[in-house]
């Protein structure tokens, strides 16, 4: 492992090199402006996350969590969109976070973080924005900083992290959300370093809980931890120095130690929101199913297949995806989100995949039950071939479709029409505290940088 503040000899003089933790904290504390392209991307992804929060507020996971938490209070200041108001901001952050990831509909960083960055970050920022009366522009800047931290750390640490079973939303997401909350509070470098150290002690969450309600709780706990970490650091709460590379710090504890340093040299140069960018989910299920869903919908659109004529369906996938898609016969709606058999069967039978398809009652439809055993995954030797789907009909006719990236990915990005569609669907599911005038919300999100107070958007 790297020794804290390692010495470097230059021209005969010993220079103490800055630690990665300090370098990161300086970046978080000192961002003052965003490039226009970054700001525009931030607006879209915050709006997309709000859509997920409103939709998730109607989930069973959130209903169960509410039963064991302090009750909502209509007069309390901290808003959980679609859900209610609470007097405890950290609790509000947790509830918002569970809403944000309950449907597995939130965006992903496929190339850097290898997980879901926006959900924990936005969920921590909403109560922080209330506490600080933050403007829309301040919210955009803090969000972009959080994304940059979570994703650049993901690139620096690499796959050694997830190979050990850690869910990056709970680990890198916690640090990214803490960075965002620290920035929105205006913490200086030293305070920010403490916030990261506090957040690192909350980092955790196991991939073994994939396909259960606990996966959404990972997001809630990350948001709660981030809110607390930044608030405590502001109050002077003590924490360890150089936590990322310290002995028994983040890198040592949460990786296989194949990395001996954290390279953050490119942070803030090319922003992650621009390149490589985040993927917006257009289907509320595991992203490993999206290429096959796209292909199945394309085949159904081109050929209008009667599902009863289908003999076999083969979906080519990356090897990694077989570990996530582990429910060939899902028993719950959540398990259905991690089932290639179910999601592709729905796509072929319905020509679309929606939030309603992941209500547990939907699993029992006869036409879907007929198709599910016919769907198979295959790992191709060349993973570039992942993304092909072949449907074999009775009589031997073979129909194929291929995509190298799913719709909504940075290469084929979602637009505001897609996001507003998700917002409409989410608002329709939300039972409480939703805007009276949705069109005002949609317009305000597109001009978030002009909002004197971000919270005004949630009051419309």
């Amino acid at each position: 492992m790297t020794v804290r503040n390692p010495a470097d000899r230059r021209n005969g003089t010993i220079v103490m090199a800055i630690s990665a933790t300090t370098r990161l904290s300086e970046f978080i504390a000192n961002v003052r402006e965003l490039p226009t392209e970054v700001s525009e991307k931030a607006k879209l992804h915050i709006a997309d996350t709000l859509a997920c929060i409103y939709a998730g507020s109607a989930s069973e996971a959130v209903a169960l969590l509410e039963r064991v938490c302090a009750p909502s209070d209509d007069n309390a200041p901290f808003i959980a969109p679609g859900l209610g108001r609470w007097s405890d901001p950290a609790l509000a952050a947790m509830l918002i976070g569970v809403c944000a990831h309950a449907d597995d509909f939130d965006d992903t960083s496929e190339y850097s973080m290898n997980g879901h960055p926006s959900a924990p970050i936005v969920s921590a920022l909403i109560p922080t924005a209330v506490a600080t009366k933050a403007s829309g522009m301040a919210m955009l800047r803090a969000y972009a900083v959080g994304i940059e931290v979570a994703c650049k750390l993901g690139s620096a640490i690499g796959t050694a992290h997830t190979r050990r079973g850690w869910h990056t939303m709970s680990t890198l997401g916690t640090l990214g959300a803490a960075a965002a909350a620290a920035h929105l509070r205006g913490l200086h470098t030293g305070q920010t370093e403490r916030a990261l150290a506090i957040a690192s002690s909350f980092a955790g969450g196991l991939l073994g809980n994939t396909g259960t309600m606990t996966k959404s709780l990972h997001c809630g706990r990350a948001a709660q931890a981030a809110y607390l970490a930044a608030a405590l650091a502001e109050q002077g709460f003590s924490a360890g120095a150089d936590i990322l590379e310290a002995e028994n710090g983040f890198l040592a504890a949460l990786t296989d130690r194949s990395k001996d340093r954290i390279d953050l040299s490119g942070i803030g140069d090319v922003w992650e929101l621009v390149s490589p960018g985040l993927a917006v989910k257009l289907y509320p299920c595991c992203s490993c199913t999206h290429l096959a869903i796209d292909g199945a919908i394309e085949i159904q659109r081109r050929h209008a297949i009667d599902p009863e004529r289908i003999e076999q369906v083969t979906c080519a996938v990356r090897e990694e995806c077989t570990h996530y898609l582990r429910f060939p016969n899902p028993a719950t709606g959540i398990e259905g989100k991690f089932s290639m058999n179910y999601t592709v069967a729905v796509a072929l039978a319905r020509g679309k995949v929606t939030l309603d398809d992941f209500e547990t009652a939907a699993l029992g439809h006869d036409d879907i039950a007929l198709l599910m055993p016919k769907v198979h995954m295959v790992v191709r030797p060349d993973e570039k071939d992942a993304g092909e789907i072949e449907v074999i009909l009775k009589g031997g006719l073979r129909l194929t479709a291929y995509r190298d990236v799913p719709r909504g990915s940075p290469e084929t990005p979602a637009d505001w029409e897609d996001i507003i569609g998700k917002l409409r669907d989410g608002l329709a599911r939300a039972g409480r505290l939703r805007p009276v005038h949705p069109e005002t919300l949609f317009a305000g999100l597109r001009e978030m940088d002009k909002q004197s107070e971000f919270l005004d958007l949630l009051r419309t």
Side-chain angles (χ1 to χ4, degrees), residues 257-276:
R257 302 190 180 217
S258 59
K259 298 267 187 179
D260 63 359
R261 63 190 294 269
I262 299 175
D263 181 8
L264 297 171
S265 57
I267 194 163
D269 293 338
V270 178
W271 289 77
E272 288 284 329
L273 282 167
V274 174
S275 180

Side-chain angles (χ1 to χ4, degrees), residues 211-272:
T212 73
M213 294 178 187
T214 299
K215 186 168 181 279
S216 64
L217 187 59
H218 291 176
C219 183
R221 291 286 284 168
Q224 181 186 45
Y227 180 90
L228 284 171
L232 288 170
E234 186 176 39
Q235 295 299 315
F237 210 82
S238 64
D242 299 330
I243 198 64
L244 293 178
E245 61 270 76
E247 184 178 3
N248 300 321
F250 187 91
L251 191 63
L254 297 180
T255 74
D256 62 3
R257 302 190 180 217
S258 59
K259 298 267 187 179
D260 63 359
R261 63 190 294 269
I262 299 175
D263 181 8
L264 297 171
S265 57
I267 194 163
D269 293 338
V270 178
W271 289 77
E272 288 284 329

Side-chain angles (χ1 to χ4, degrees), residues 120-201:
I121 291 170
V122 173
S123 300
L125 282 177
I126 290 174
T128 305
V130 175
T132 60
K133 301 186 186 305
S135 69
M137 190 65 240
M139 181 78 168
L140 291 170
R141 193 170 57 242
Y143 167 79
V145 165
I147 293 293
E148 189 74 356
V149 168
C151 294
K152 286 294 196 297
L153 279 175
S155 294
I157 289 172
T159 58
H161 188 58
T162 51
R163 283 201 305 266
R164 291 175 63 86
W166 295 111
H167 186 204
T168 57
M169 171 179 279
S170 301
T171 52
L172 301 172
T174 299
L175 294 185
H183 180 87
L184 196 58
R185 286 182 176 275
L187 303 192
H188 60 61
T189 300
Q191 292 172 317
T192 299
E193 186 164 348
R194 289 201 301 275
L196 293 176
I198 296 166
S200 291
S201 276

Side-chain angles (χ1 to χ4, degrees), residues 38-384:
V38 175
S39 178
E40 291 302 310
K41 292 283 188 182
K43 290 177 190 178
L44 187 139
H45 285 284
I46 290 174
D48 178 60
T49 308
L50 275 174
C52 298
I53 291 167
Y54 281 117
S57 69
S59 68
E60 184 182 3
V62 172
L64 293 176
L65 182 60
E66 277 195 274
R67 289 184 194 175
V68 301
C69 292
S72 61
D73 177 354
D74 290 343
N75 297 313
F78 294 97
I79 292 175
L83 206 58
R85 293 173 175 269
W86 275 263
S87 57
D88 179 352
L91 175 57
M94 181 170 69
L95 288 162
I96 297 167
V98 175
C99 290
H101 193 56
D103 293 309
D104 219 288
F105 210 2
D106 47 305
D107 64 24
T108 60
S109 164
E110 299 291 335
Y111 302 112
S112 303
M113 179 184 166
N114 192 23
H116 302 260
S118 292
I121 291 170
V122 173
S123 300
L125 282 177
I126 290 174
T128 305
V130 175
T132 60
K133 301 186 186 305
S135 69
M137 190 65 240
M139 181 78 168
L140 291 170
R141 193 170 57 242
Y143 167 79
V145 165
I147 293 293
E148 189 74 356
V149 168
C151 294
K152 286 294 196 297
L153 279 175
S155 294
I157 289 172
T159 58
H161 188 58
T162 51
R163 283 201 305 266
R164 291 175 63 86
W166 295 111
H167 186 204
T168 57
M169 171 179 279
S170 301
T171 52
L172 301 172
T174 299
L175 294 185
H183 180 87
L184 196 58
R185 286 182 176 275
L187 303 192
H188 60 61
T189 300
Q191 292 172 317
T192 299
E193 186 164 348
R194 289 201 301 275
L196 293 176
I198 296 166
S200 291
S201 276
F202 287 118
L206 302 178
L207 285 170
N209 277 311
T210 296
T212 73
M213 294 178 187
T214 299
K215 186 168 181 279
S216 64
L217 187 59
H218 291 176
C219 183
R221 291 286 284 168
Q224 181 186 45
Y227 180 90
L228 284 171
L232 288 170
E234 186 176 39
Q235 295 299 315
F237 210 82
S238 64
D242 299 330
I243 198 64
L244 293 178
E245 61 270 76
E247 184 178 3
N248 300 321
F250 187 91
L251 191 63
L254 297 180
T255 74
D256 62 3
R257 302 190 180 217
S258 59
K259 298 267 187 179
D260 63 359
R261 63 190 294 269
I262 299 175
D263 181 8
L264 297 171
S265 57
I267 194 163
D269 293 338
V270 178
W271 289 77
E272 288 284 329
L273 282 167
V274 174
S275 180
L278 305 182
V280 169
K281 283 192 170 188
L282 300 180
Y283 312 114
C285 47
C286 178
S287 57
C288 282
T289 66
H290 288 203
L291 283 170
I293 291 172
D294 280 340
I297 291 173
E298 181 182 337
I299 288 171
Q300 182 58 266
R301 179 180 55 79
R302 287 198 320 243
H303 302 284
I305 307 167
D306 178 351
E308 292 189 1
R309 294 181 58 209
I310 295 175
E311 188 74 38
Q312 181 176 309
V313 182
T314 302
C315 306
V317 298
R318 306 190 315 270
E319 192 276 333
E320 176 190 13
C321 288
T322 62
H323 301 292
Y324 300 132
L325 303 179
R326 53 196 183 92
F327 298 102
N329 297 294
T332 67
I334 296 177
E335 289 184 0
K337 293 174 181 290
F338 295 88
S339 171
M340 184 69 87
N341 304 67
Y342 180 72
T343 54
V344 169
V346 169
L348 286 168
R350 307 276 186 267
K352 60 182 180 178
V353 177
T354 70
L355 285 163
D356 290 340
D357 293 313
F358 297 98
E359 300 294 336
T360 296
L363 299 179
H365 292 159
D366 290 343
D367 55 345
I368 305 302
L370 176 72
L371 276 176
M372 282 201 299
K374 300 177 181 180
V375 178
H376 306 277
M377 289 187 290
V378 59
V379 177
R380 295 283 168 80
D382 185 349
E383 291 203 347
K384 291 180 181 178

